[in-house]
C-alpha cells in the first residue's frame, strides 16, 4: 500500500493518528514443527535438500509415485559391485528403495554424484522440465538392451501431426513428431483447455506469407497441429517463464490459470485429434501431480502436490516434509492470479487490497483413466534385485547402529590406544611429523562408568598383553601444536573410571581419550615384559631413522635416558635399533615442530639431555654421517632438508582450462616452488618448448570452477599462493598453451569490435589484439585490413554502445589500455559521406528505436541498433523520414506504422511531418547528447537471442547436464 493512500483521510485507515493492523492467525494441530514425523502422519517420507535441489526433489517424488516407472527402474540391471555414486541406475534404485522402506527423509547425494555433479551444481537451481527431459533421455539410453527397454516411450511418448493444407489446390504436407511433454501457454489462456485450443489453432498463410507448395508455387494455406495419440502419462509444462521482447528480460507469468481434476481431451468430438487418430482410445485423464514454483524469475522454492493412488487424498511433498492436504490446496490455491484481502471496516469506502500470488503450478502430470491399473501398479520387494535388498538393508542397519550410538553417546567415550606397532606402521608412510595420526588408530567404545582396570583387562584380551605388562601414557598438545606422550597414568588414575580419565585429560587433548600403550618385550621381541620402574630423572625418547640415499624415513623405537646422561652414550643403542655396526658415525637432530614452519635442529652429542632441553615424548631423528660426495649426490642430504621437502610437498592436478571437468595430469611439486618453477614443470609435461607460453588459472574452492581471471606472469611468488583461496587450499590448477609468450600477451590488449554496414546491421565481430599503448586509430587501421569497405578512402570510427544507445564516439588518439569491452559493445562503422561533408548549419543527431513497455506505458524500452544521421537547419521531419527509410531499407507498409518523437530524458514529444527537426537539438556538441535523441517507435520484429529455446529457463541459469 502506498503511503499516499495510507495518509488519505477519506480512506479511513488513519483515525486520530492511529493505524490498527489486524492479523489472522491460523493455529494448526501440530505442536512442534521439528518433531513432526512425515512417515507416521502420512505413510511417506521426504527428500533432503542439498542446498538448492528442491526443484529436483519435487520431480523425483513425482516420478517415484508413478509405480510403473519405479518398477522399471528397479528392473534395470545392476550388480553388487556397482557403486551408487558412479551408477545412475543403482543410485536411483537405492533412492526409490529408501523412499519406499525407510522411516526418515532420504538424501539424494549419491544420485547427484552419479550425475557427475559437484557441490556447485547442488547450489544451482535448474528448470524441472529440463531436468526431467535430460534424466529421462539418460535413463532411456541406459535401458537399451535390457528387459525394460522402451519403458520411457511407453509411459510418456505421444505424437502430434504438423500439417500445411492448401486452400485452393489439392495439396497437403504433414509431418509426424513425438513428444514426452507439452509446453502450454499460460499468458492469455484461462485454463488448460484454452491452452490446447491455442495449441491446435489454425494459422492462415496468405498475403505476403503464402506457402510455397511443390508444383503449385505460392498458395493460400492453413497451417496447424493435431494430435495423433496421447501417452498414458501426460506431462504438461506450463509456460510460467517467458521472454519479454519489449523489456529484453525473462519474466514470470503469475496470471490465474485453472486446471481440472479430470481432463477430457476427446471434448467437442475430438477437436484436438488428427483424422488418423485412434478414436476407440478414451482420452480422459486424471490429475496425478501438481508441481509448484513459489517465487520470481530469479529463483524461489519448489514443491509438489501428489495423489499417489489417484484417490481423493492429496499430499504435499516439500523437501523433507510430507503433509496431508485438501484438494483445494492442490488445485485452486495453485491457480495463481491475484487475491483480495477482505475489508475490515465495511462501513468505510476502502478500495479492497489486492496482491499477486507468486506460488502457482507450472507442471502438471495426468494419468489416462483407462491406463490407471497399468500405471498405478503394485511394486514390492520381489521387484527389487536381491543384491540391492541386501546392500540397502545393510546400509539401514548401519544407519540404525549409528543412530543408536549417537543417542547413547553421552554414556560412552572413545579410547584411542596407540602402540609402537601403530607408530612403525604410520611414520614414513602415512605421516612424517609427530608420532601417529590418531584418526587411523583403532578405537574402543567404552561406557564411562567402566573402571580403567576393567578396560586394561579388555586390552589384555584384544591384544594379548597381560595387564601387568601394560603402562599407559597420556598424550598432550604442546604450545607448538605438536602431540606427544606427556606422562604415564598414576596409580590413583588407574583406579578411577574411564569417564573420570576422559574429563581430567580433556585439558591435555580433546573430547576423545587418547593413550600411548608402552609395551616392553624380551630381546627376541616375542614376550611382553613388565615395564621397568621409572626414576624421577628418566626421560622417554622416541627415535626415527632417515636414509638420504633411499629418501626413507621410519620409526625404529624408543628408550628411557637419564636427564644427566649425554647423547653419545646411547649411540651404540641407536646403531643397534637401525641395524648399523656398533661404531657407525651418526648425526642426531631433534624434531621440534612443523607448523607453520619446520624446526629440526642438530643435537650436541656431548651436552646432557637436560641441557639439550629434551623431555618426555620428544623425538630424535638420526642418520649416518655423510661425506661431501654423498651430500652432493643426494637431493635431501640430511633430516632437516628432507622434512622441509615433505612439509612443502604438494601434488597438483592440472586440467585444461577449456575442459575444467576433465582430469588432466598431476605433478609432485613444492609449495615453495616459484612461478617459474611451476610453469617449467608444466611445459616439460606438455612438451612445450617455451614455458612462458603456459598460462595458469587458479581454482575456486567454493564454485569448483576456474577463477574468472588467470594468474598474471610472475604475478605470485610461490605455488602456495596459487593454491590459496581465502581460507581454503586447493590442489587444482588450470592451464592454457598460448600462441605467444604470456609476458608479450599481457602487454597486448584484445578488443572485440562489431563491424556494422551502412544499414547499421552487424556484419562481423572482430578480435583485435594490439599493444596496450596503441590508440583507437591503430585499431581502426587493423579493422581496415580485415573488412570490406565501400572504397579505399572510406573513413572509420568506433562507438561505445550500451543498451541500444550510443554513449561515446572515440577519438582516434585515445589509448586503448583502459577501454572495457566486457560490458560495453564496441562498434566500428564507416563514417557516412554526409557527415564528413556536413556544413556549419547541419548537425548529426542520435537516432534510437524504442517501444513502450506494455506493463508500464510511460516506460520506454530501447532495442535494435542506434545510429547517427545528419539533419539540416530547415529540414522537416517528412524529408528526414525518407532518408531514414532509405538508410534502413524498411518496406513502405511497415514504415507507415512508425512514429517519430524527440525523446529527452526518457520522455517522448511526438513530431509531425512539418516539424523542423534540427530546432529540437543543441548545436554545441557535434554529435549531441545520448539522452536527447530522435526516437523511432515501432514493434521490434528482429529475431531475438536464444531465450526461446527453453521458455521455462530462468535468466541466470546454466543448462542441466548429467555427465555419467
Amino acid at each position: 500500500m502506498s503511503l499516499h493512500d495510507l495518509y488519505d483521510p477519506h480512506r479511513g485507515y488513519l483515525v486520530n493518528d492511529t493505524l490498527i493492523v489486524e492479523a489472522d492467525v491460523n493455529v494448526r494441530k501440530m505442536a512442534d514443527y521439528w518433531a513432526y514425523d512425515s512417515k507416521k502422519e502420512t505413510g511417506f517420507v521426504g527428500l533432503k535438500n542439498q542446498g538448492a535441489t528442491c526443484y529436483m526433489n519435487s520431480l523425483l517424488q513425482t516420478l517415484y509415485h508413478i509405480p510403473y516407472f519405479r518398477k522399471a527402474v528397479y528392473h534395470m540391471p545392476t550388480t553388487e559391485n556397482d557403486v551408487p555414486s558412479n551408477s545412475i541406475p543403482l543410485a536411483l534404485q537405492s533412492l526409490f528403495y529408501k523412499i519406499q522402506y525407510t522411516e526418515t527423509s532420504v538424501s539424494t547425494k549419491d544420485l547427484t554424484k552419479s550425475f557427475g555433479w559437484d557441490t556447485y551444481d547442488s547450489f544451482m537451481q535448474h528448470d524441472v522440465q529440463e531436468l526431467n527431459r535430460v534424466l529421462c533421455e539418460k535413463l532411456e539410453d541406459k535401458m537399451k538392451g535390457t528387459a525394460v527397454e522402451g519403458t520411457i516411450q511407453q509411459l510418456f511418448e505421444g505424437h502430434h501431426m504438423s500439417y500445411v493444407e492448401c486452400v485452393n489446390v489439392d495439396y497437403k504436407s504433414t509431418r509426424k513428431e513425438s513428444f514426452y511433454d507439452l509446453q502450454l501457454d499460460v499468458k492469455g489462456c484461462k485454463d488448460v483447455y484454452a491452452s490446447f485450443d491455442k495449441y491446435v489453432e489454425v494459422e492462415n498463410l496468405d498475403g505476403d506469407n503464402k506457402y510455397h507448395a511443390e508444383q503449385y508455387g505460392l498458395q493460400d494455406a492453413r497451417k496447424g497441429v493435431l494430435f495423433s495419440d496421447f501417452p498414458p502419462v501426460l506431462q504438461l509444462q506450463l509456460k510460467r517463464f517467458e521472454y519479454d521482447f519489449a523489456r529484453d528480460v525473462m519474466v514470470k507469468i503469475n496470471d490465474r490459470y485453472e486446471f481440472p481434476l479430470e481432463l477430457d481431451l476427446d471434448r467437442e468430438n475430438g477437436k484436438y485429434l488428427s483424422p488418423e487418430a485412434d478414436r476407440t482410445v478414451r482420452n480422459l485423464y486424471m490429475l496425478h501431480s501438481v508441481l509448484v514454483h513459489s517465487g520470481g524469475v530469479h529463483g524461489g522454492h519448489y514443491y509438489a502436490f501428489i495423489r499417489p493412488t489417484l484417490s481423493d487424498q492429496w499430499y504435499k511433498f516439500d523437501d523433507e516434509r510430507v503433509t496431508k492436504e485438501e484438494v483445494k490446496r492442490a488445485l485452486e490455491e495453485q491457480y495463481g492470479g491475484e487475491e483480495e484481502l477482505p475489508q475490515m471496516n465495511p462501513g468505510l469506502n476502502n478500495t479492497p487490497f489486492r496482491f499477486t500470488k507468486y506460488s502457482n503450478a507450472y507442471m502438471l502430470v495426468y494419468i489416462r483413466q483407462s491406463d490407471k491399473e497399468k500405471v498405478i501398479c503394485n511394486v514390492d520387494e520381489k521387484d527389487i534385485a536381491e543384491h540391492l535388498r541386501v546392500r540397502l538393508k545393510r546400509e539401514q542397519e548401519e544407519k540404525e547402529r549409528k543412530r543408536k550410538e549417537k543417542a547413547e553417546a553421552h554414556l560412552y567415550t572413545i579410547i584411542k590406544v596407540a602402540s609402537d606397532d601403530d607408530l612403525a606402521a604410520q611414520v614414513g608412510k602415512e605421516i612424517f611429523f609427530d608420532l601417529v595420526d590418531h584418526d587411523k588408530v583403532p578405537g574402543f567404545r567404552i561406557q564411562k562408568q567402566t573402571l580403567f582396570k576393567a578396560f586394561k583387562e579388555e586390552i589384555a584380551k584384544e591384544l594379548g598383553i597381560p595387564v601387568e605388562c601394560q603402562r599407559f601414557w597420556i598424550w598432550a598438545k604442546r604450545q607448538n601444536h605438536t602431540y606427544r606422550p606427556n606422562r604415564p597414568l598414576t596409580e590413583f588414575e588407574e583406579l578411577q573410571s574411564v569417564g573420570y580419565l576422559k574429563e581430567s585429560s580433556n585439558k591435555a587433548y580433546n573430547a576423545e581419550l587418547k593413550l600411548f600403550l608402552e609395551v616392553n618385550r624380551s630381546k627376541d621381541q616375542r614376550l611382553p615384559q613388565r615395564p621397568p620402574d621409572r626414576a624421577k630423572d628418566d626421560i622417554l625418547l622416541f627415535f626415527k631413522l632417515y636414509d638420504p640415499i633411499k629418501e626413507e624415513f621410519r620409526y625404529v623405537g624408543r628408550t628411557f635416558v637419564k636427564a644427566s646422561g649425554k647423547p653419545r652414550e646411547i649411540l651404540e643403542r641407536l646403531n643397534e635399533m637401525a641395524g648399523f655396526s656398533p661404531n657407525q658415525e651418526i648425526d642426531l637432530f631433534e624434531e621440534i615442530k612443523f607448523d607453520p614452519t619446520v624446526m629440526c635442529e642438530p643435537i650436541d652429542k656431548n651436552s646432557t639431555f637436560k641441557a639439550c632441553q629434551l623431555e618426555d615424548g620428544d623425538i630424535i631423528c638420526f642418520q649416518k654421517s655423510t661425506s661431501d660426495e654423498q651430500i652432493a649426490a643426494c637431493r635431501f642430504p640430511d633430516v632437516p632438508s628432507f622434512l622441509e621437502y615433505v612439509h612443502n610437498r604438494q601434488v597438483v592436478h592440472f586440467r585444461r582450462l577449456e575442459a575444467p571437468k576433465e582430469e588432466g595430469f598431476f605433478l609432485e611439486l613444492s609449495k615453495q616452488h616459484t612461478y617459474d618453477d611451476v610453469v617449467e614443470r608444466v611445459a616439460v609435461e606438455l612438451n612445450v618448448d617455451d614455458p612462458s607460453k603456459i598460462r595458469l588459472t587458479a581454482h575456486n574452492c567454493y564454485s569448483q570452477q576456474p577463477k574468472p581471471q588467470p594468474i598474471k606472469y610472475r604475478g605470485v611468488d610461490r605455488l602456495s599462493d596459487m593454491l590459496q583461496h581465502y581460507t581454503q587450499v586447493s590442489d587444482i590448477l588450470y592451464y592454457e598453451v598460448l600462441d605467444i609468450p604470456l609476458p608479450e600477451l599481457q602487454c597486448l590488449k584484445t578488443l572485440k569490435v562489431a563491424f556494422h554496414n551502412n544499414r547499421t546491421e552487424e556484419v562481423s565481430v572482430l578480435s583485435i589484439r594490439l599493444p596496450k599503448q596503441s590508440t583507437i586509430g591503430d585499431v581502426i587501421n587493423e579493422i581496415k585490413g580485415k573488412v570490406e569497405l565501400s572504397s579505399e578512402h572510406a573513413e572509420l570510427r568506433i562507438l561505445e554502445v550500451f543498451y541500444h544507445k550510443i554513449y561515446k564516439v572515440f577519438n582516434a588518439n585515445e589509448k586503448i589500455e583502459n577501454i572495457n569491452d566486457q560490458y560495453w559493445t564496441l562498434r566500428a562503422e564507416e563514417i557516412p559521406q554526409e557527415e564528413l561533408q556536413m556544413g556549419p548549419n547541419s548537425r548529426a543527431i542520435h537516432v534510437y528505436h524504442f517501444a513502450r513497455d506494455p506493463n508500464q506505458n510511460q516506460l520506454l524500452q530501447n532495442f535494435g541498433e542506434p545510429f547517427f544521421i545528419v539533419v539540416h537547419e530547415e529540414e522537416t521531419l517528412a524529408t528526414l523520414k525518407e532518408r531514414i527509410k532509405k538508410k534502413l531499407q524498411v518496406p513502405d507498409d511497415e514504415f507507415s506504422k512508425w512514429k517519430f518523437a524527440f525523446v529527452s530524458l526518457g520522455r517522448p514529444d511526438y513530431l509531425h511531418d512539418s516539424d523542423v527537426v534540427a530546432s529540437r537539438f543543441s548545436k554545441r556538441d557535434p554529435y549531441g547528447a545520448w539522452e536527447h535523441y530522435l526516437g523511432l517507435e515501432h514493434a521490434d520484429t528482429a529475431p531475438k537471442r536464444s531465450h526461446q529455446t527453453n521458455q521455462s529457463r530462468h535468466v541466470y541459469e546454466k543448462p542441466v547436464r548429467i555427465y555419467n
Side-chain angles (χ1 to χ4, degrees):
M1 182 184 298
S2 70
L3 290 177
H4 179 271
D5 291 341
L6 179 66
Y7 288 119
D8 185 347
H10 301 292
R11 304 296 294 273
Y13 291 116
L14 277 178
V15 179
N16 297 327
D17 202 33
T18 301
L19 173 69
I20 297 176
V21 180
E22 296 185 12
D24 274 345
V25 180
N26 183 11
V27 182
R28 299 214 170 191
K29 190 175 182 180
M30 63 192 72
D32 185 352
Y33 181 91
W34 300 109
Y36 179 79
D37 187 332
S38 294
K39 184 80 169 188
K40 180 180 177 182
E41 298 294 334
T42 67
F44 301 105
V45 298
L47 296 174
K48 295 178 181 178
N49 193 328
Q50 292 186 45
T53 54
C54 52
Y55 72 98
M56 180 180 72
N57 290 350
S58 61
L59 175 65
L60 291 172
Q61 289 282 17
T62 301
L63 293 175
Y64 168 83
H65 284 102
I66 301 174
Y68 191 90
F69 178 88
R70 191 195 327 159
K71 179 176 284 197
V73 168
Y74 283 152
H75 283 242
M76 293 178 72
T78 54
T79 70
E80 59 187 9
N81 296 322
D82 290 342
V83 179
S85 58
N86 295 330
S87 166
I88 293 175
L90 182 58
L92 202 54
Q93 288 172 351
S94 174
L95 181 74
F96 283 0
Y97 180 91
K98 290 173 183 176
I99 294 175
Q100 190 164 351
Y101 291 107
T102 58
E103 299 297 315
T104 57
S105 56
V106 181
S107 170
T108 58
K109 284 187 178 179
D110 277 345
L111 182 64
T112 54
K113 283 181 182 177
S114 75
F115 291 169
W117 291 4
D118 51 30
T119 307
Y120 180 70
D121 294 291
S122 298
F123 280 87
M124 173 68 74
Q125 272 198 350
H126 293 291
D127 174 52
V128 171
Q129 174 199 356
E130 190 174 12
L131 175 64
N132 188 23
R133 286 184 175 178
V134 172
L135 178 59
C136 284
E137 285 174 7
K138 189 65 68 171
L139 290 174
E140 186 178 355
D141 183 59
K142 292 185 180 294
M143 287 178 177
K144 287 179 180 176
T146 74
V148 290
E149 181 175 359
T151 298
I152 302 297
Q153 295 97 316
Q154 292 168 24
L155 278 176
F156 304 117
E157 187 177 46
H159 298 87
H160 51 58
M161 187 78 73
S162 301
Y163 67 89
V164 179
E165 186 174 16
C166 292
V167 175
N168 300 316
V169 297
D170 185 16
Y171 182 86
K172 185 176 183 179
S173 172
T174 60
R175 185 176 72 255
K176 188 176 183 179
E177 295 176 306
S178 66
F179 64 85
Y180 283 178
D181 56 49
L182 294 172
Q183 289 196 52
L184 299 183
D185 284 326
V186 171
K187 196 171 185 179
C189 300
K190 69 172 186 174
D191 58 18
V192 171
Y193 289 121
S195 296
F196 269 98
D197 291 344
K198 190 173 181 180
Y199 203 100
V200 300
E201 195 173 56
V202 175
E203 178 185 357
N204 291 317
L205 306 179
D206 52 22
D208 293 336
N209 195 28
K210 288 186 177 182
Y211 175 68
H212 189 277
E214 295 178 14
Q215 303 173 349
Y216 298 103
L218 293 175
Q219 294 288 330
D220 290 344
R222 296 185 307 121
K223 177 183 177 183
V225 175
L226 290 170
F227 291 92
S228 303
D229 58 80
F230 291 104
V233 179
L234 180 62
Q235 301 181 106
L236 302 180
Q237 306 289 343
L238 309 183
K239 288 158 68 171
R240 287 286 183 186
F241 299 95
E242 288 193 346
Y243 182 69
D244 188 319
F245 295 110
R247 297 162 64 188
D248 193 27
V249 293
M250 289 291 288
V251 294
K252 184 180 178 188
I253 309 299
N254 290 302
D255 299 353
R256 181 178 176 85
Y257 183 88
E258 299 178 9
F259 44 90
L261 266 175
E262 289 191 355
L263 178 66
D264 186 0
L265 295 179
D266 289 333
R267 66 195 288 259
E268 297 181 26
N269 296 320
K271 62 187 289 187
Y272 306 130
L273 300 175
S274 66
E276 298 82 7
D278 184 357
R279 304 280 172 149
T280 62
V281 177
R282 181 76 173 97
N283 291 302
L284 180 63
Y285 284 85
M286 306 172 72
L287 184 60
H288 174 265
S289 308
V290 180
L291 278 71
V292 177
H293 176 260
S294 177
V297 69
H298 295 296
H301 184 54
Y302 296 80
Y303 47 90
F305 291 93
I306 303 173
R307 51 173 182 163
T309 61
L310 298 179
S311 65
D312 293 334
Q313 182 61 62
W314 285 84
Y315 298 89
K316 180 183 178 182
F317 292 83
D318 187 354
D319 286 339
E320 299 184 30
R321 192 176 182 83
V322 186
T323 53
K324 290 182 178 180
E325 300 292 347
E326 297 176 359
V327 65
K328 181 181 178 182
R329 285 273 289 156
L331 266 72
E332 295 176 34
E333 293 188 20
Q334 311 313 322
Y335 289 162
E338 291 186 331
E339 191 164 326
E340 185 176 295
L341 288 178
Q343 290 186 336
M344 294 299 149
N345 299 304
L348 297 172
N349 185 25
N350 287 343
T351 303
F353 187 72
R354 303 176 67 86
F355 63 92
T356 300
K357 297 167 68 175
Y358 291 96
S359 295
N360 37 58
Y362 99 121
M363 179 175 169
L364 307 173
V365 178
Y366 283 91
I367 293 177
R368 189 158 49 202
Q369 193 174 53
S370 59
D371 292 299
K372 176 184 173 182
E373 298 303 319
K374 172 186 173 183
V375 175
I376 310 296
C377 58
N378 183 51
V379 182
D380 52 34
E381 283 211 349
K382 70 177 184 295
D383 293 300
I384 304 168
E386 175 67 21
H387 75 85
L388 185 64
R389 293 203 303 270
V390 171
R391 178 205 294 262
L392 296 177
K393 284 181 179 177
R394 190 166 58 241
E395 286 180 9
Q396 286 304 111
E397 289 169 359
E398 178 65 14
K399 185 177 179 181
E400 178 60 25
R401 184 188 66 79
K402 288 182 178 179
R403 186 200 64 76
K404 186 178 179 182
E405 279 186 6
K406 188 175 181 180
E408 299 175 348
H410 63 289
L411 302 175
Y412 290 82
T413 190
I414 302 296
I415 303 179
K416 291 292 186 78
V417 178
S419 66
D420 288 309
D421 291 340
D422 296 300
L423 274 57
Q426 291 190 24
V427 172
K429 303 174 183 67
E430 298 174 359
I431 64 167
F432 290 85
F433 301 99
D434 266 350
L435 293 170
V436 74
D437 179 355
H438 285 99
D439 290 339
K440 296 175 182 176
V441 172
F444 297 85
R445 187 169 182 260
I446 307 295
Q447 283 193 335
K448 290 182 180 179
Q449 63 187 19
T450 304
L451 294 177
F452 189 76
K453 63 180 182 180
F455 170 68
K456 292 180 72 173
E457 291 172 358
E458 184 172 335
I459 289 292
K461 293 177 184 177
E462 286 284 331
L463 304 181
I465 301 169
V467 170
E468 64 272 13
C469 298
Q470 301 172 19
R471 179 155 60 192
F472 289 91
W473 292 66
I474 290 283
W475 292 81
K477 181 179 181 180
R478 296 181 175 180
Q479 289 184 342
N480 62 11
H481 305 296
T482 60
Y483 293 91
R484 306 289 171 82
N486 183 49
R487 62 173 180 82
L489 292 178
T490 64
E491 290 183 11
F492 172 78
E493 287 174 326
E494 292 205 4
L495 294 174
Q496 306 307 310
S497 69
V498 166
Y500 172 85
L501 286 179
K502 178 192 171 185
E503 296 304 320
S504 62
S505 68
N506 272 349
K507 296 177 182 177
Y509 208 77
N510 61 15
E512 293 178 330
L513 177 58
K514 295 181 172 65
L515 302 173
F516 173 71
L517 174 58
E518 177 194 343
V519 179
N520 298 282
R521 297 183 182 273
S522 58
K523 284 194 174 182
D524 59 6
Q525 294 296 310
R526 290 183 180 179
L527 298 175
Q529 295 181 325
R530 286 179 178 272
D533 293 334
R534 181 170 176 265
K536 188 174 182 181
D537 63 341
D538 281 351
I539 299 172
L540 178 63
L541 298 178
F542 294 83
F543 297 93
K544 298 178 184 178
L545 173 65
Y546 174 55
D547 184 337
I549 297 174
K550 296 180 180 179
E551 294 182 7
E552 287 182 353
F553 200 56
R554 61 190 177 93
Y555 173 75
V556 291
R558 56 180 165 74
T559 192
F560 284 101
V561 298
K562 296 292 183 181
S564 58
K566 297 180 180 180
R568 60 181 169 78
E569 297 170 359
I570 64 167
L571 297 184
E572 191 172 326
R573 171 81 176 111
L574 295 183
N575 281 330
E576 182 183 350
M577 285 184 182
F580 298 159
S581 63
N583 298 321
Q584 173 65 50
E585 282 291 322
I586 56 176
D587 298 326
L588 308 183
F589 304 86
E590 182 190 0
E591 179 189 316
I592 300 173
K593 67 168 190 167
F594 57 91
D595 184 23
T597 57
V598 172
M599 184 180 287
C600 183
E601 296 180 349
I603 293 176
D604 183 357
K605 301 174 193 173
N606 295 311
S607 296
T608 64
F609 289 106
K610 184 176 181 179
C612 294
Q613 298 183 349
L614 292 169
E615 59 186 42
D616 283 326
D618 279 346
I619 301 171
I620 292 180
C621 305
F622 67 98
Q623 66 178 90
K624 288 182 180 180
S625 300
T626 50
S627 64
D628 292 341
E629 293 79 9
Q630 289 173 321
I631 290 175
C634 298
R635 288 199 309 165
F636 312 107
D638 56 25
V639 173
S641 62
F642 176 74
L643 291 181
E644 189 73 36
Y645 154 71
V646 170
H647 181 67
N648 292 305
R649 182 169 54 185
Q650 176 71 57
V651 174
V652 182
H653 298 264
F654 290 88
R655 300 175 181 176
R656 288 187 303 126
L657 183 64
E658 59 268 30
K661 290 279 186 180
E662 295 179 8
E663 287 297 331
F665 60 91
F666 65 88
L667 297 174
E668 184 182 289
L669 304 171
S670 168
K671 295 173 187 174
Q672 297 303 308
H673 272 163
T674 64
Y675 175 90
D676 288 348
D677 294 333
V678 175
V679 294
E680 283 172 11
R681 289 288 303 277
V682 174
V684 169
E685 182 70 23
L686 298 173
N687 293 319
V688 175
D689 295 335
D690 185 356
S692 67
K693 290 185 178 180
I694 301 296
R695 180 162 67 177
L696 301 175
T697 299
H699 179 69
N700 185 320
C701 296
Y702 302 110
S703 68
Q704 298 295 310
Q705 298 287 325
K707 290 186 179 180
Q709 298 299 325
I711 298 170
K712 291 185 177 180
Y713 179 72
R714 293 178 178 169
V716 294
D717 294 330
R718 306 286 175 192
L719 172 64
S720 56
D721 301 321
M722 299 183 190
L723 301 178
Q724 190 74 37
H725 182 63
Y726 298 109
T727 59
Q728 296 195 34
V729 177
S730 165
D731 65 350
I732 298 172
L733 287 173
Y734 304 90
Y735 69 89
E736 301 167 86
V737 180
L738 306 173
D739 53 358
I740 62 172
L742 182 55
E744 184 180 331
L745 177 64
Q746 288 182 179
C747 293
L748 301 177
K749 175 83 172 180
T750 301
L751 296 176
K752 287 186 178 179
V753 184
F755 179 70
H756 287 234
N757 61 19
N758 57 10
R759 291 177 56 191
T760 75
E761 298 168 331
E762 184 180 295
V763 176
S764 59
V765 176
L766 308 171
S767 183
I768 307 298
R769 183 185 289 174
L770 290 170
K772 291 181 178 179
Q773 296 305 310
S774 302
T775 64
I776 287 292
D778 298 322
V779 176
I780 289 173
N781 290 333
E782 282 285 313
I783 293 172
K784 284 182 176 180
K786 295 186 176 185
V787 299
E788 186 176 340
L789 302 175
S790 59
S791 75
E792 61 181 19
H793 302 295
E795 293 188 28
L796 297 182
R797 65 181 168 207
I798 295 181
L799 315 173
E800 193 175 66
V801 179
F802 187 65
Y803 272 87
H804 316 289
K805 295 180 180 179
I806 299 170
Y807 282 81
K808 183 175 181 178
V809 180
F810 286 97
N811 187 293
N813 296 320
E814 187 168 343
K815 301 286 187 185
I816 68 172
E817 184 173 8
N818 297 321
I819 294 176
N820 187 348
D821 63 342
Q822 299 299 310
Y823 303 103
W824 309 81
T825 299
L826 300 182
R827 188 172 102 190
E829 64 183 19
E830 287 190 35
I831 305 176
Q833 283 298 313
E834 64 173 3
E835 283 189 43
L836 295 172
Q837 299 168 2
M838 189 166 54
N841 295 323
S842 301
R843 72 207 63 167
I845 63 171
H846 293 248
V847 184
Y848 304 156
H849 305 268
F850 78 91
R852 289 186 179 274
D853 189 319
N855 298 318
Q856 302 180 55
N857 194 42
Q858 298 302 315
L859 183 63
L860 305 188
Q861 296 288 340
N862 292 103
F863 61 87
E865 297 295 344
F867 60 95
F868 292 113
I869 198 164
V870 173
V871 292
H872 306 295
E873 189 170 20
E874 298 298 328
E875 187 175 20
T876 63
L877 177 63
T879 308
L880 183 60
K881 282 166 61 175
E882 288 301 315
R883 290 201 288 121
I884 291 174
K885 184 176 75 169
K886 182 179 179 181
K887 178 181 180 68
L888 302 181
Q889 298 183 21
V890 183
D892 290 344
D893 57 340
E894 183 181 337
F895 194 74
S896 64
K897 302 173 186 176
W898 288 23
K899 296 179 182 178
F900 294 77
F902 169 69
V903 182
S904 176
L905 301 175
R907 297 185 181 87
D909 181 7
Y910 289 93
L911 302 174
H912 302 286
D913 284 355
S914 59
D915 288 339
V916 176
V917 178
S919 63
R920 302 295 185 101
F921 293 89
S922 169
K923 293 182 179 180
R924 287 179 296 177
D925 186 342
Y927 286 108
W930 61 266
E931 63 265 38
H932 305 298
Y933 60 90
L934 177 65
L936 314 180
E937 183 181 5
H938 61 94
D940 182 9
T941 58
K944 296 295 174 184
R945 296 176 295 196
S946 59
H947 291 285
Q948 296 184 79
T949 54
N950 184 348
Q951 300 200 37
S952 295
R953 179 184 296 288
H954 294 181
V955 66
Y956 291 122
E957 222 172 52
K958 74 174 190 177
V960 178
R961 286 194 177 91
I962 294 178
Y963 299 95
N964 296 331

